[in-house]
Amino acid sequence: MFKRIGLIIGSLILSILLLGYVFRLPLLQWAIAPELKKVGVILSCLDFSITTKLNIHVQNMCLQYQGQQLTLKNITANTQQIIIEQAQLVTSTSSSSGNNSLAKPLNLALLDKRPLVSIKLLLLVNNQLSKELKLSISEPDLNQFVIQGDIDATVRLQKNLVSGNFKINESHLKLIANNAFSAFQRITFDAQQQFNFDGINLDLKGDISAQYVDSYKQCQVQTHSQGKIAASVNLNSKAVTLDTQALNNNLTLAPHCTALIDSSKLAIEPLPLNWQLTLPANINLENNQLSLPAISITSEGDKHYKLSITDTRLDTTRPIQSIQSQITLQVSKSVNDNLKINTQLSGGNLQGDFALALKKLPRLTNINAKNIHINGEFAISNVIDDTPTAHVNAQLSAAEVDGFNTSIVQYQAGITAKIDDKRNAEIALSHQFKSAQYKKYKLTGIHNTLTANAHLGAGEIFAKLAAKTSIKTINSPELQLKNIKVNSSGEQSRALQATHHAFVDGMELVVNHHFSSQAHPFEVIFPVQSILPLNSYINQFAPLATLTQGEFNGHIHGDINLQKASFKGEVSKLTALYNDYLASDFNSIFSGQYSSGQLNVEPTTFSINELRAGAVINNITGHWRLNDEVQIDDVKGHVFDGNFGIERYIVGQPNQIVDVEFDNIDASKLVTFNEQSGISVSGRLAGTLPVHFDKNQVSVLDGQLFSQGEGRLKITNNAAFEAVLEQQQALKPVLGLLKDLDIQNLKSSVALKNDGWLKLGVNLQGYNKQAKQQVNFNYNHEENVFTLLRALRLSDEITQKVEQQYSQKGNQ
């Protein structure tokens, strides 16, 4: 009975086990899957069997957890070990995650005894990896794992801590980094790191050695970092702290890099080839807020370069908009050669100041300068927007500046530039210096300001220009100018069009010009103005000359590039003194051209109302022209109640003969005696005087005077003449005929030496009516005509008063 019952029970148990094995998969899906689902794990496939050795063999197992897929194949498990032939873990990295739960401290339920796990091949697949990672995992001791393959690491599991170490190099970076990061192809990298993870904090610490090499036009740049680095990450606060204090960073430029900048032409010293980068002790990132206390880049060598970046803060989600930093650049070789730039960066705004001191200017051009100082400040707003604004203010000074045949002493300049959010720009530039020497010209007291306004929007740039210039003096061996003031305005687009309104020693002129790459036409206008300001120039060439009244105006137009110009001008009512000579009411309208270095004035008329040179000359007219030399033609006028004429006179020609023709001259005015002398002469004279000009000397050779028609000589009660008659009794009958003589013919030779001595050889033929006798009288006379003319001028009371009056006006 019991035997039968035992068989029945045994058969029932065997049937149950057999049914359980046959229906093992549905039973596991029904029993195990719901329990796994409670912790978020989805069991999607499972196929296992029991071997003859009572080992569990799993052909396939598929698990999903929070979007991660784990597939296991060919698993053999017993009480000693679990061997997984192949596993694949597919993960996806997404920027957004719906799981906002906080991390918790580790509390691993570690068994004291369990089978050791071994994974012969683990394939890790992620969208951020350039390709899948191949790893093998072994567990030589309980809860201690060794990972080999594309990443080498050791991991130790404890109840509240996961620790270990790993090695990583450039090959790992290339696997981990996306192919788009081509820079990783030029990195040599090796690091050994220890890590500890407690569920919330991840700490890293170890050695690192990295080298990056890049080239540009055969200029090789190499950076090398070596030392220790430590990092800490908090999963809840997302705070990251990086300690790089024990990391040594060097940057080296190859010697070929100096060839990219031709230092010989720029006359600057080449940049140092070795640089040192110093990183801060703590780099913090928390809640997307990055903090960098200080970074510096320092050169190694005689010339000291240092770039310091301090107090840097930014939001990693919008780094450009949120960045705040203080940047300082210092370059110093000596006390007299240094540069410092301070910049404060706040989001899209920059502001700072700069200072530069140079003992001498590098030879960028043919300009030499000594003791240069430049300082200023700047501000730039909305750098990352389409409507940035900027403002720059700078000052420059130099003790001496030499270049382009110009030497400047005590040079000072200032510049202000700004642009608003509508892209309207304004630049103001000012210059001043004590003196400047250009070739033979010396300028003193120069002040200049230039203002430019422009719109920098789309399309062609159009600018308006304005300038003011003042110069105290311009000196040269030939000329001195004083009190020069120029007001300028212009417009600049494809060409420059400008107008300059200038005042020079009271003289006014307007200059217009249009400058382009094809042509440079210009126009100079002298408005109607007093001629008196010209005295300051004339006196430099002819100190005895003075302008006393008159007006002038003129107009010049041409092209500077073509070196051609045409001009016209007018002088009216000009009165001038030269020593004791007075010319009144000079008038002339003239025109001409300038071409190929040659100045030409077309033949034009002139008139002078009166010329006082002892004798008074009236109504002078003539023509003058300029072609290599000033030539005066067809001069006519009235003198001694008669006429005179000059055919041609070339001003300044050293050797020439000018024939002066006289006609219908009143003898009584030519031969002037004292009214109480009792001698009078009447009649008309004509003649020719060949005036010889030899350098600065004037003489008359073979001149002739002769009578026109009849005249008369009358001597009454002249004591001197009576005394001669008494002394020369033999000549008394002949000389007595001269007392009342009708002159029928008079001839005289004229010779004037350059020292003023005049020699007259007179032949007088006439008839004495009282004696009814013909008279033929020869007479030689010598006298210094310069002294005579001076005596005539001094005796002319009217002339003397006029000269005095005009002299006073001219000197005012």
Side-chain angles (χ1 to χ4, degrees):
M1 182 72 179
F2 287 105
K3 185 178 180 180
R4 181 179 295 178
I5 293 173
L7 291 174
I8 294 171
I9 293 173
S11 299
L12 180 61
I13 292 173
L14 182 61
S15 299
I16 292 173
L17 290 174
L18 180 62
L19 288 174
Y21 180 77
V22 171
F23 295 101
R24 64 189 184 280
L25 297 180
L27 288 173
L28 288 174
Q29 290 281 2
W30 173 75
I32 298 176
E35 294 299 322
L36 293 175
K37 191 173 183 180
K38 291 180 181 180
V39 293
V41 179
I42 299 175
L43 178 64
S44 59
C45 72
L46 177 64
D47 184 7
F48 74 95
S49 61
I50 299 175
T51 66
T52 57
K53 296 182 179 181
L54 298 179
N55 293 331
I56 299 176
H57 180 74
V58 179
Q59 287 79 17
N60 292 290
M61 178 181 287
C62 304
L63 300 172
Q64 294 183 12
Y65 178 73
Q66 293 185 355
Q68 323 298 323
Q69 297 181 358
L70 176 63
T71 303
L72 305 174
K73 293 182 179 181
N74 297 324
I75 304 172
T76 300
N78 54 39
T79 59
Q80 299 298 320
Q81 60 182 356
I82 298 174
I83 301 175
I84 303 172
E85 294 291 335
Q86 184 174 346
Q88 184 182 55
L89 177 62
V90 179
T91 63
S92 177
T93 303
S94 175
S95 59
S96 60
S97 177
N99 186 6
N100 295 322
S101 60
L102 295 176
K104 296 179 180 180
L106 289 178
N107 187 15
L108 301 178
L110 300 178
L111 301 176
D112 294 335
K113 292 184 178 181
R114 63 169 177 77
L116 300 178
V117 177
S118 175
I119 302 176
K120 294 185 177 181
L121 177 62
L122 171 61
L123 300 177
L124 293 179
V125 180
N126 187 278
N127 59 344
Q128 296 296 319
L129 299 176
S130 60
K131 64 178 183 179
E132 62 185 15
L133 295 180
K134 295 180 180 181
L135 305 172
S136 65
I137 301 176
S138 61
E139 188 180 15
D141 297 312
L142 185 64
N143 297 327
Q144 295 186 16
F145 298 91
V146 177
I147 301 173
Q148 294 178 320
D150 290 334
I151 295 178
D152 296 330
T154 60
V155 180
R156 182 182 179 185
L157 299 182
Q158 296 174 274
K159 181 178 180 181
N160 304 112
L161 185 68
V162 177
S163 61
N165 59 71
F166 63 87
K167 296 180 180 180
I168 188 170
N169 55 36
E170 69 273 5
S171 60
H172 299 135
L173 288 180
K174 294 172 184 177
L175 289 172
I176 296 173
N178 192 286
N179 289 332
F181 294 95
S182 60
F184 283 110
Q185 304 299 322
R186 295 183 289 275
I187 289 180
T188 302
F189 183 83
D190 186 18
Q192 297 184 11
Q193 293 289 309
Q194 297 177 354
F195 67 90
N196 293 289
F197 178 62
D198 62 3
I200 298 177
N201 296 300
L202 173 64
D203 296 322
L204 298 171
K205 184 178 181 181
D207 298 326
I208 186 172
S209 177
Q211 181 172 289
Y212 175 81
V213 179
D214 202 353
S215 297
Y216 174 76
K217 292 184 178 181
Q218 298 183 345
C219 170
Q220 188 180 78
V221 180
Q222 176 179 310
T223 60
H224 184 261
S225 298
Q226 187 171 6
K228 295 184 179 295
I229 188 171
S232 177
V233 181
N234 187 294
L235 299 183
N236 288 335
S237 65
K238 297 181 181 180
V240 178
T241 301
L242 189 64
D243 185 355
T244 59
Q245 188 175 17
L247 193 62
N248 186 27
N249 305 280
N250 295 299
L251 184 148
T252 303
L253 304 177
H256 292 292
C257 298
T258 58
L260 296 178
I261 302 175
D262 194 340
S263 301
S264 61
K265 289 184 178 180
L266 298 179
I268 60 175
E269 297 182 9
L271 289 175
L273 299 179
N274 299 312
W275 300 76
Q276 179 76 34
L277 172 64
T278 303
L279 298 175
N282 292 303
I283 301 175
N284 298 311
L285 175 63
E286 185 174 358
N287 296 326
N288 299 321
Q289 301 297 315
L290 177 64
S291 174
L292 297 171
I295 299 175
S296 66
I297 302 175
T298 307
S299 66
E300 298 177 359
D302 294 337
K303 196 162 188 177
H304 185 67
Y305 292 80
K306 184 175 182 180
L307 176 65
S308 301
I309 305 173
T310 58
D311 300 328
T312 302
R313 293 179 175 82
L314 61 87
D315 187 335
T316 57
T317 61
R318 49 186 192 94
I320 297 178
Q321 296 86 346
S322 64
I323 187 169
Q324 293 188 7
S325 184
Q326 183 76 31
I327 304 172
T328 300
L329 172 63
Q330 290 180 294
V331 181
S332 61
K333 185 178 180 182
S334 65
V335 176
N336 296 320
D337 290 292
N338 55 76
L339 168 67
K340 185 174 183 180
I341 302 175
N342 295 313
T343 304
Q344 187 174 6
L345 175 64
S346 178
N349 302 323
L350 278 171
Q351 65 177 12
D353 57 76
F354 54 89
L356 171 65
L358 293 174
K359 188 175 181 180
K360 62 181 180 178
L361 186 70
R363 279 193 168 273
L364 300 177
T365 63
N366 293 325
I367 299 177
N368 295 323
K370 297 180 181 179
N371 298 331
I372 305 157
H373 291 85
I374 303 174
N375 59 79
E377 55 276 344
F378 61 90
I380 305 174
S381 303
N382 306 322
V383 176
I384 60 177
D385 295 339
D386 293 333
T387 57
T389 64
H391 184 274
V392 178
N393 185 26
Q395 296 79 39
L396 182 150
S397 65
E400 297 179 11
V401 180
D402 295 307
F404 304 105
N405 299 319
T406 303
S407 177
I408 298 174
V409 177
Q410 294 184 12
Y411 175 77
Q412 292 182 333
I415 183 171
T416 300
K418 57 184 178 181
I419 181 172
D420 62 18
D421 55 359
K422 297 180 180 179
R423 298 188 178 181
N424 295 314
E426 180 179 339
I427 299 177
L429 183 64
S430 63
H431 302 273
Q432 68 179 49
F433 39 92
K434 183 179 180 181
S435 65
Q437 184 80 37
Y438 174 73
K439 294 183 178 180
K440 61 181 180 180
Y441 299 98
K442 183 176 182 180
L443 294 75
T444 64
I446 299 99
H447 296 262
N448 170 262
T449 60
L450 172 65
T451 303
N453 292 276
H455 180 67
L456 304 182
E460 185 176 343
I461 296 178
F462 178 84
K464 290 187 176 181
L465 308 174
K468 291 185 177 181
T469 304
S470 64
I471 304 174
K472 187 176 181 180
T473 62
I474 298 178
N475 296 318
S476 72
E478 299 86 8
L479 183 66
Q480 182 184 77
L481 304 178
K482 296 180 180 179
N483 302 324
I484 300 129
K485 295 184 179 180
V486 182
N487 294 328
S488 305
S489 62
E491 297 177 350
Q492 170 70 53
S493 55
R494 296 182 181 179
L496 171 65
Q497 183 175 353
T499 297
H500 310 277
H501 195 177
F503 296 87
V504 183
D505 267 343
M507 185 176 64
E508 181 182 7
L509 67 151
V510 178
V511 180
N512 300 314
H513 64 106
H514 188 94
F515 176 73
S516 68
S517 57
Q518 292 79 25
H520 193 173
F522 73 94
E523 177 185 42
V524 181
I525 301 172
F526 294 90
V528 177
Q529 58 192 292
S530 173
I531 208 165
L532 297 184
L534 294 177
N535 277 321
S536 58
Y537 315 119
I538 295 174
N539 291 339
Q540 297 176 45
F541 300 99
L544 299 178
T546 304
L547 305 178
T548 59
Q549 71 176 23
E551 294 180 339
F552 78 100
N553 64 85
H555 182 223
I556 305 172
H557 62 89
D559 192 293
I560 295 177
N561 291 350
L562 300 177
Q563 293 292 299
K564 289 185 177 181
S566 298
F567 58 87
K568 61 181 179 179
E570 179 180 2
V571 178
S572 60
K573 300 180 181 178
L574 170 65
T575 299
L577 279 170
Y578 183 80
N579 198 1
D580 294 326
Y581 301 94
L582 175 66
S584 302
D585 202 9
F586 173 86
N587 298 275
S588 181
I589 300 175
F590 56 91
S591 61
Q593 301 83 32
Y594 175 84
S595 179
S596 302
Q598 181 66 46
L599 181 64
N600 298 306
V601 176
E602 300 172 356
T604 184
T605 61
F606 72 89
S607 66
I608 302 176
N609 183 48
E610 183 178 85
L611 175 62
R612 290 179 175 266
V616 179
I617 306 173
N618 303 104
N619 301 326
I620 304 171
T621 61
H623 297 83
W624 72 278
R625 61 180 177 176
L626 173 62
N627 187 358
D628 290 332
E629 54 194 7
V630 179
Q631 180 174 307
I632 301 175
D633 300 313
D634 302 327
V635 180
K636 297 179 181 180
H638 297 270
V639 62
F640 300 125
D641 202 23
N643 306 312
F644 80 96
I646 299 174
E647 183 177 354
R648 176 169 298 172
Y649 170 63
I650 300 174
V651 178
Q653 182 170 312
N655 298 302
Q656 61 178 316
I657 301 175
V658 178
D659 291 328
V660 182
E661 302 287 344
F662 293 93
D663 177 58
N664 201 29
I665 298 298
D666 187 348
S668 65
K669 294 185 179 181
L670 178 62
V671 183
T672 304
F673 296 96
N674 191 295
E675 294 180 356
Q676 285 76 32
S677 65
I679 302 176
S680 64
V681 179
S682 63
R684 294 289 171 173
L685 300 174
T688 301
L689 298 180
V691 182
H692 292 250
F693 292 88
D694 183 10
K695 296 183 180 179
N696 295 326
Q697 298 179 347
V698 180
S699 61
V700 177
L701 300 178
D702 300 326
Q704 293 184 352
L705 288 175
F706 52 88
S707 60
Q708 289 181 303
E710 295 184 352
R712 189 177 182 185
L713 172 62
K714 190 173 183 180
I715 302 174
T716 305
N717 297 326
N718 185 277
F721 186 75
E722 294 295 335
V724 172
L725 292 180
E726 292 297 328
Q727 294 173 4
Q728 303 290 337
Q729 292 293 324
L731 297 177
K732 186 174 181 179
V734 177
L735 295 177
L737 298 176
L738 298 177
K739 287 188 175 183
D740 190 359
L741 181 66
D742 292 329
I743 301 173
Q744 297 172 332
N745 190 16
L746 184 147
K747 292 181 181 180
S748 176
S749 62
V750 181
L752 175 65
K753 295 182 179 180
N754 54 43
D755 58 2
W757 280 98
L758 175 67
K759 182 177 182 180
L760 299 176
V762 181
N763 175 251
L764 181 63
Q765 298 177 6
Y767 181 74
N768 189 306
K769 291 181 179 181
Q770 184 177 0
K772 297 180 181 181
Q773 185 176 345
Q774 289 288 129
V775 177
N776 188 349
F777 181 73
N778 293 311
Y779 172 66
N780 291 324
H781 178 75
E782 287 190 36
E783 187 172 3
N784 192 298
V785 70
F786 295 164
T787 304
L788 175 62
L789 292 176
R790 188 175 296 111
L792 289 173
R793 288 196 301 273
L794 293 175
S795 64
D796 188 338
E797 186 177 351
I798 298 177
T799 301
Q800 190 178 47
K801 290 183 178 180
V802 172
E803 289 179 353
Q804 183 181 5
Q805 178 183 0
Y806 281 118
S807 296
Q808 292 174 352
K809 288 185 178 180
N811 293 326
Q812 288 179 351

